[in-house]
Amino acid sequence: MIAKKYSASLYVKALHSLHKRMSRNHPKYSMIKDEYYQKLAGDIGEEVVMKMMEQLKLPYKFYVFHNLSLYAESLFQVDILLVTQYYALVLEVKNIKGEITFTDQQMQRKLDTNETHSFESPVLQLEEYVYQLNLLFKAIGFNLPIYSAIVFAFPTSYIKVPPANKTILFRRGIKPYIRNIKADSPYINEIQLDSLKNYLLNANTDFQPFPLTEYYGIDPDAILKGVECNQCGLIGMKKLPHNWFCPRCKIYHRKAHEQTLDEYFLIYKSTMSNIECQHFLKLNNKHEATRILKNSMLIKTGQSRNTKYSALFSK
């Protein structure tokens, strides 16, 4: 049973918003761009692996969780976790094409163009996650054996040199691998399993490093302001009475500002005043800002000139 289903990462959405609103000449542009595409690929990989987990059938009760952020000795984030009465399984998902070589400390890939890249070792990542999960289980009174595996989501990955002591799976090998895990004597009963499921859901804290300009040390003034056209991508729609107009593709969109409001809180600042709304959306006057803020799904605090608005995820 899926206890925490797949959901696209808000962090990836925020990276995309930041990336498209930065100048290509900005010293951190390439770093943000690379981080965005890497995390986006990770999201795509996790989605297809979760679809495989949705098809999983076992002769005993189990729960599957996507993207759990938990705290034991420190904060750690698990791509996919399976818990049963007999064991737990941690899956670290990778979506990296090319020829893959594992070393003691890194994972390296080589493309057809002979271009090479190095990544943090998923073996070391998994060892840390298993260690932290063991601490967590013991702290709450559970003693489950924990298995772990690195999962490559697509066959565009070719494993030239596998790690010495870690299970490597491709997506379609997940279900056979799980079926072969020994499940002879339960370590916990079904009531305890349900209790563990509820604990993990309640303990989960989504990774939300917003606003990203603060997280990455980027001057907010370097961010391109304006409302984006969802048709052609131009950032700079013009505000008309009761509407927005794109000067590039000539379309009108009454609610074009809604996406830009979300992006403000994701990348720019955690609160918004009337003046900040005028500035970021490039409005003509404070009355336009008042109408937009009044009709938005934002959290209002303060009165009069001290009124501030925030998004739920920025609280």
Side-chain angles (χ1 to χ4, degrees), residues 38-76:
Q38 184 177 333
K39 296 301 182 184
L40 177 62
D43 256 21
I44 293 169
E46 290 169 26
E47 183 177 18
V48 300
V49 171
M50 278 300 293
K51 286 180 179 177
M52 186 65 63
M53 298 300 285
E54 290 170 4
Q55 302 168 13
L56 180 65
K57 296 186 184 301
L58 295 171
Y60 45 84
K61 193 171 185 177
F62 66 92
Y63 292 110
V64 178
F65 306 80
H66 171 247
N67 195 16
L68 277 179
S69 293
L70 303 167
Y71 189 89
E73 190 177 71
S74 61
L75 190 67
F76 64 105

Short mmCIF file of all heavy atoms in Angstrom, two decimals, residues 38-76:
data_model
loop_
_atom_site.label_atom_id
_atom_site.label_comp_id
_atom_site.label_asym_id
_atom_site.label_seq_id
_atom_site.Cartn_x
_atom_site.Cartn_y
_atom_site.Cartn_z
N GLN A 38 19.61 18.53 -12.59
CA GLN A 38 19.93 17.32 -11.83
C GLN A 38 18.76 16.90 -10.96
O GLN A 38 18.39 15.71 -10.92
CB GLN A 38 21.17 17.55 -10.97
CG GLN A 38 21.63 16.30 -10.22
CD GLN A 38 22.91 16.55 -9.42
OE1 GLN A 38 23.72 17.40 -9.76
NE2 GLN A 38 23.09 15.82 -8.35
N LYS A 39 18.15 17.85 -10.25
CA LYS A 39 17.01 17.54 -9.39
C LYS A 39 15.78 17.17 -10.21
O LYS A 39 14.99 16.31 -9.79
CB LYS A 39 16.70 18.72 -8.47
CG LYS A 39 17.80 19.07 -7.49
CD LYS A 39 18.12 17.90 -6.57
CE LYS A 39 19.18 18.27 -5.56
NZ LYS A 39 19.58 17.12 -4.71
N LEU A 40 15.61 17.79 -11.37
CA LEU A 40 14.49 17.45 -12.24
C LEU A 40 14.61 16.01 -12.71
O LEU A 40 13.64 15.25 -12.71
CB LEU A 40 14.44 18.40 -13.44
CG LEU A 40 13.35 18.12 -14.48
CD1 LEU A 40 11.96 18.25 -13.87
CD2 LEU A 40 13.50 19.06 -15.68
N ALA A 41 15.82 15.62 -13.13
CA ALA A 41 16.06 14.23 -13.55
C ALA A 41 15.76 13.28 -12.40
O ALA A 41 15.17 12.21 -12.59
CB ALA A 41 17.50 14.07 -14.03
N GLY A 42 16.15 13.67 -11.19
CA GLY A 42 15.86 12.84 -10.02
C GLY A 42 14.37 12.67 -9.80
O GLY A 42 13.90 11.56 -9.51
N ASP A 43 13.62 13.74 -9.95
CA ASP A 43 12.16 13.67 -9.81
C ASP A 43 11.55 12.70 -10.82
O ASP A 43 10.68 11.91 -10.49
CB ASP A 43 11.56 15.07 -10.00
CG ASP A 43 11.14 15.70 -8.68
OD1 ASP A 43 11.66 15.28 -7.64
OD2 ASP A 43 10.30 16.62 -8.70
N ILE A 44 12.01 12.80 -12.07
CA ILE A 44 11.48 11.93 -13.13
C ILE A 44 11.79 10.47 -12.81
O ILE A 44 10.93 9.59 -12.96
CB ILE A 44 12.09 12.34 -14.49
CG1 ILE A 44 11.59 13.72 -14.90
CG2 ILE A 44 11.74 11.30 -15.57
CD1 ILE A 44 12.32 14.32 -16.09
N GLY A 45 13.00 10.21 -12.34
CA GLY A 45 13.37 8.85 -11.97
C GLY A 45 12.54 8.32 -10.83
O GLY A 45 12.06 7.17 -10.86
N GLU A 46 12.34 9.14 -9.80
CA GLU A 46 11.56 8.70 -8.65
C GLU A 46 10.10 8.45 -9.03
O GLU A 46 9.46 7.53 -8.50
CB GLU A 46 11.65 9.75 -7.55
CG GLU A 46 13.02 9.83 -6.90
CD GLU A 46 13.20 11.04 -6.01
OE1 GLU A 46 12.18 11.55 -5.50
OE2 GLU A 46 14.34 11.50 -5.84
N GLU A 47 9.57 9.23 -9.95
CA GLU A 47 8.19 9.04 -10.38
C GLU A 47 8.00 7.68 -11.04
O GLU A 47 7.04 6.95 -10.73
CB GLU A 47 7.76 10.15 -11.33
CG GLU A 47 6.30 10.05 -11.76
CD GLU A 47 5.86 11.19 -12.66
OE1 GLU A 47 6.74 11.88 -13.23
OE2 GLU A 47 4.65 11.41 -12.79
N VAL A 48 8.90 7.30 -11.96
CA VAL A 48 8.73 6.01 -12.65
C VAL A 48 8.97 4.84 -11.70
O VAL A 48 8.33 3.78 -11.83
CB VAL A 48 9.63 5.90 -13.90
CG1 VAL A 48 9.31 6.99 -14.90
CG2 VAL A 48 11.10 5.92 -13.55
N VAL A 49 9.88 5.00 -10.73
CA VAL A 49 10.10 3.93 -9.76
C VAL A 49 8.89 3.79 -8.85
O VAL A 49 8.47 2.67 -8.50
CB VAL A 49 11.39 4.18 -8.95
CG1 VAL A 49 11.51 3.18 -7.80
CG2 VAL A 49 12.62 4.07 -9.86
N MET A 50 8.29 4.91 -8.45
CA MET A 50 7.09 4.84 -7.62
C MET A 50 5.93 4.17 -8.37
O MET A 50 5.12 3.47 -7.77
CB MET A 50 6.69 6.23 -7.14
CG MET A 50 7.46 6.70 -5.92
SD MET A 50 7.24 5.65 -4.45
CE MET A 50 5.51 5.92 -4.07
N LYS A 51 5.86 4.38 -9.67
CA LYS A 51 4.83 3.70 -10.46
C LYS A 51 5.03 2.18 -10.41
O LYS A 51 4.07 1.41 -10.38
CB LYS A 51 4.84 4.20 -11.90
CG LYS A 51 4.26 5.60 -12.06
CD LYS A 51 4.28 6.06 -13.51
CE LYS A 51 3.68 7.45 -13.64
NZ LYS A 51 3.74 7.98 -15.04
N MET A 52 6.29 1.77 -10.39
CA MET A 52 6.60 0.36 -10.25
C MET A 52 6.19 -0.14 -8.86
O MET A 52 5.64 -1.24 -8.71
CB MET A 52 8.10 0.13 -10.48
CG MET A 52 8.52 -1.33 -10.51
SD MET A 52 7.81 -2.27 -11.88
CE MET A 52 8.55 -1.40 -13.28
N MET A 53 6.44 0.66 -7.84
CA MET A 53 6.07 0.27 -6.48
C MET A 53 4.56 0.18 -6.30
O MET A 53 4.06 -0.61 -5.49
CB MET A 53 6.66 1.26 -5.48
CG MET A 53 8.18 1.33 -5.47
SD MET A 53 8.98 -0.23 -5.05
CE MET A 53 8.68 -0.31 -3.29
N GLU A 54 3.83 0.97 -7.05
CA GLU A 54 2.36 0.91 -6.99
C GLU A 54 1.83 -0.43 -7.48
O GLU A 54 0.73 -0.84 -7.12
CB GLU A 54 1.75 2.04 -7.82
CG GLU A 54 1.95 3.43 -7.21
CD GLU A 54 1.55 4.55 -8.16
OE1 GLU A 54 1.05 4.24 -9.26
OE2 GLU A 54 1.74 5.73 -7.80
N GLN A 55 2.61 -1.11 -8.31
CA GLN A 55 2.20 -2.41 -8.85
C GLN A 55 2.62 -3.57 -7.94
O GLN A 55 2.25 -4.72 -8.18
CB GLN A 55 2.84 -2.61 -10.23
CG GLN A 55 2.50 -1.55 -11.25
CD GLN A 55 3.37 -1.64 -12.49
OE1 GLN A 55 4.07 -2.63 -12.71
NE2 GLN A 55 3.33 -0.61 -13.32
N LEU A 56 3.39 -3.27 -6.90
CA LEU A 56 3.93 -4.32 -6.04
C LEU A 56 2.84 -5.02 -5.24
O LEU A 56 1.99 -4.38 -4.63
CB LEU A 56 4.95 -3.69 -5.08
CG LEU A 56 5.64 -4.64 -4.09
CD1 LEU A 56 6.52 -5.64 -4.83
CD2 LEU A 56 6.46 -3.85 -3.07
N LYS A 57 2.90 -6.34 -5.25
CA LYS A 57 1.98 -7.16 -4.44
C LYS A 57 2.82 -8.16 -3.66
O LYS A 57 3.69 -8.83 -4.22
CB LYS A 57 0.96 -7.88 -5.32
CG LYS A 57 0.03 -6.93 -6.07
CD LYS A 57 -1.05 -7.68 -6.81
CE LYS A 57 -1.92 -6.74 -7.63
NZ LYS A 57 -2.58 -5.71 -6.82
N LEU A 58 2.57 -8.23 -2.36
CA LEU A 58 3.29 -9.14 -1.48
C LEU A 58 2.29 -9.91 -0.63
O LEU A 58 1.18 -9.43 -0.38
CB LEU A 58 4.24 -8.35 -0.57
CG LEU A 58 5.40 -7.61 -1.26
CD1 LEU A 58 6.13 -6.70 -0.27
CD2 LEU A 58 6.37 -8.58 -1.91
N PRO A 59 2.67 -11.09 -0.15
CA PRO A 59 1.74 -11.89 0.67
C PRO A 59 1.65 -11.41 2.11
O PRO A 59 1.14 -12.12 2.97
CB PRO A 59 2.36 -13.29 0.59
CG PRO A 59 3.81 -13.06 0.39
CD PRO A 59 3.91 -11.82 -0.46
N TYR A 60 2.15 -10.22 2.38
CA TYR A 60 2.08 -9.65 3.72
C TYR A 60 1.89 -8.14 3.60
O TYR A 60 2.10 -7.54 2.54
CB TYR A 60 3.34 -9.97 4.53
CG TYR A 60 4.64 -9.79 3.77
CD1 TYR A 60 5.26 -8.52 3.68
CD2 TYR A 60 5.26 -10.86 3.15
CE1 TYR A 60 6.44 -8.35 2.99
CE2 TYR A 60 6.45 -10.71 2.45
CZ TYR A 60 7.04 -9.46 2.38
OH TYR A 60 8.21 -9.28 1.69
N LYS A 61 1.51 -7.53 4.69
CA LYS A 61 1.19 -6.10 4.70
C LYS A 61 2.47 -5.27 4.57
O LYS A 61 3.51 -5.62 5.13
CB LYS A 61 0.49 -5.76 6.01
CG LYS A 61 -0.17 -4.39 6.06
CD LYS A 61 -1.02 -4.27 7.32
CE LYS A 61 -1.80 -2.97 7.36
NZ LYS A 61 -2.68 -2.90 8.56
N PHE A 62 2.38 -4.17 3.84
CA PHE A 62 3.53 -3.29 3.67
C PHE A 62 3.06 -1.87 3.38
O PHE A 62 1.92 -1.65 2.96
CB PHE A 62 4.45 -3.79 2.54
CG PHE A 62 3.82 -3.72 1.17
CD1 PHE A 62 3.97 -2.59 0.36
CD2 PHE A 62 3.08 -4.79 0.67
CE1 PHE A 62 3.39 -2.53 -0.89
CE2 PHE A 62 2.49 -4.74 -0.58
CZ PHE A 62 2.65 -3.61 -1.37
N TYR A 63 3.97 -0.92 3.58
CA TYR A 63 3.70 0.48 3.26
C TYR A 63 4.89 1.05 2.50
O TYR A 63 6.05 0.76 2.82
CB TYR A 63 3.47 1.31 4.52
CG TYR A 63 2.19 0.96 5.26
CD1 TYR A 63 2.23 0.32 6.50
CD2 TYR A 63 0.94 1.27 4.72
CE1 TYR A 63 1.07 0.00 7.18
CE2 TYR A 63 -0.22 0.96 5.39
CZ TYR A 63 -0.16 0.32 6.61
OH TYR A 63 -1.32 0.00 7.27
N VAL A 64 4.59 1.88 1.51
CA VAL A 64 5.62 2.52 0.69
C VAL A 64 5.49 4.04 0.86
O VAL A 64 4.39 4.59 0.81
CB VAL A 64 5.47 2.15 -0.80
CG1 VAL A 64 6.53 2.87 -1.64
CG2 VAL A 64 5.59 0.64 -0.98
N PHE A 65 6.64 4.70 1.01
CA PHE A 65 6.68 6.15 1.19
C PHE A 65 7.62 6.75 0.15
O PHE A 65 8.72 6.26 -0.06
CB PHE A 65 7.23 6.52 2.57
CG PHE A 65 6.52 5.88 3.72
CD1 PHE A 65 6.79 4.56 4.09
CD2 PHE A 65 5.59 6.59 4.46
CE1 PHE A 65 6.16 3.97 5.16
CE2 PHE A 65 4.94 6.01 5.54
CZ PHE A 65 5.22 4.68 5.89
N HIS A 66 7.19 7.83 -0.46
CA HIS A 66 8.07 8.58 -1.36
C HIS A 66 8.56 9.83 -0.66
O HIS A 66 7.79 10.56 -0.02
CB HIS A 66 7.32 8.99 -2.65
CG HIS A 66 8.11 9.95 -3.49
ND1 HIS A 66 7.74 11.26 -3.70
CD2 HIS A 66 9.30 9.79 -4.17
CE1 HIS A 66 8.63 11.86 -4.47
NE2 HIS A 66 9.58 10.99 -4.76
N ASN A 67 9.87 10.07 -0.76
CA ASN A 67 10.48 11.32 -0.33
C ASN A 67 10.18 11.67 1.12
O ASN A 67 9.46 12.62 1.42
CB ASN A 67 10.03 12.46 -1.26
CG ASN A 67 10.88 13.71 -1.12
OD1 ASN A 67 11.98 13.65 -0.56
ND2 ASN A 67 10.38 14.82 -1.61
N LEU A 68 10.76 10.89 2.01
CA LEU A 68 10.62 11.15 3.44
C LEU A 68 11.83 11.93 3.95
O LEU A 68 12.97 11.53 3.71
CB LEU A 68 10.53 9.83 4.21
CG LEU A 68 9.18 9.13 4.30
CD1 LEU A 68 9.33 7.84 5.09
CD2 LEU A 68 8.13 10.02 4.96
N SER A 69 11.58 13.03 4.64
CA SER A 69 12.64 13.78 5.31
C SER A 69 12.46 13.59 6.81
O SER A 69 11.46 14.03 7.38
CB SER A 69 12.57 15.27 4.95
OG SER A 69 12.87 15.47 3.60
N LEU A 70 13.42 12.91 7.43
CA LEU A 70 13.31 12.52 8.83
C LEU A 70 14.52 13.01 9.62
O LEU A 70 15.54 13.35 9.03
CB LEU A 70 13.20 11.00 8.94
CG LEU A 70 12.04 10.35 8.17
CD1 LEU A 70 12.22 8.84 8.10
CD2 LEU A 70 10.70 10.70 8.82
N TYR A 71 14.37 13.01 10.92
CA TYR A 71 15.47 13.46 11.78
C TYR A 71 15.78 12.39 12.82
O TYR A 71 14.90 11.92 13.53
CB TYR A 71 15.10 14.77 12.48
CG TYR A 71 16.27 15.39 13.21
CD1 TYR A 71 17.12 16.27 12.56
CD2 TYR A 71 16.54 15.06 14.55
CE1 TYR A 71 18.21 16.83 13.21
CE2 TYR A 71 17.63 15.62 15.20
CZ TYR A 71 18.46 16.50 14.53
OH TYR A 71 19.54 17.04 15.17
N ALA A 72 17.05 12.02 12.88
CA ALA A 72 17.55 11.14 13.93
C ALA A 72 18.72 11.85 14.59
O ALA A 72 18.54 12.76 15.38
CB ALA A 72 17.96 9.78 13.36
N GLU A 73 19.92 11.46 14.22
CA GLU A 73 21.10 12.20 14.68
C GLU A 73 21.23 13.52 13.92
O GLU A 73 21.74 14.51 14.42
CB GLU A 73 22.34 11.33 14.45
CG GLU A 73 23.61 11.84 15.07
CD GLU A 73 24.76 10.87 14.85
OE1 GLU A 73 25.22 10.76 13.69
OE2 GLU A 73 25.16 10.21 15.82
N SER A 74 20.75 13.50 12.68
CA SER A 74 20.69 14.68 11.83
C SER A 74 19.56 14.48 10.83
O SER A 74 18.95 13.39 10.77
CB SER A 74 22.03 14.91 11.10
OG SER A 74 22.33 13.79 10.28
N LEU A 75 19.28 15.49 10.05
CA LEU A 75 18.22 15.39 9.04
C LEU A 75 18.69 14.54 7.87
O LEU A 75 19.82 14.70 7.39
CB LEU A 75 17.83 16.78 8.55
CG LEU A 75 16.59 16.88 7.66
CD1 LEU A 75 15.34 16.53 8.46
CD2 LEU A 75 16.47 18.28 7.07
N PHE A 76 17.86 13.61 7.40
CA PHE A 76 18.20 12.81 6.23
C PHE A 76 16.95 12.60 5.39
O PHE A 76 15.83 12.61 5.89
CB PHE A 76 18.82 11.47 6.63
CG PHE A 76 17.90 10.54 7.41
CD1 PHE A 76 17.32 9.44 6.80
CD2 PHE A 76 17.63 10.77 8.76
CE1 PHE A 76 16.48 8.58 7.51
CE2 PHE A 76 16.80 9.92 9.48
CZ PHE A 76 16.22 8.83 8.85
#
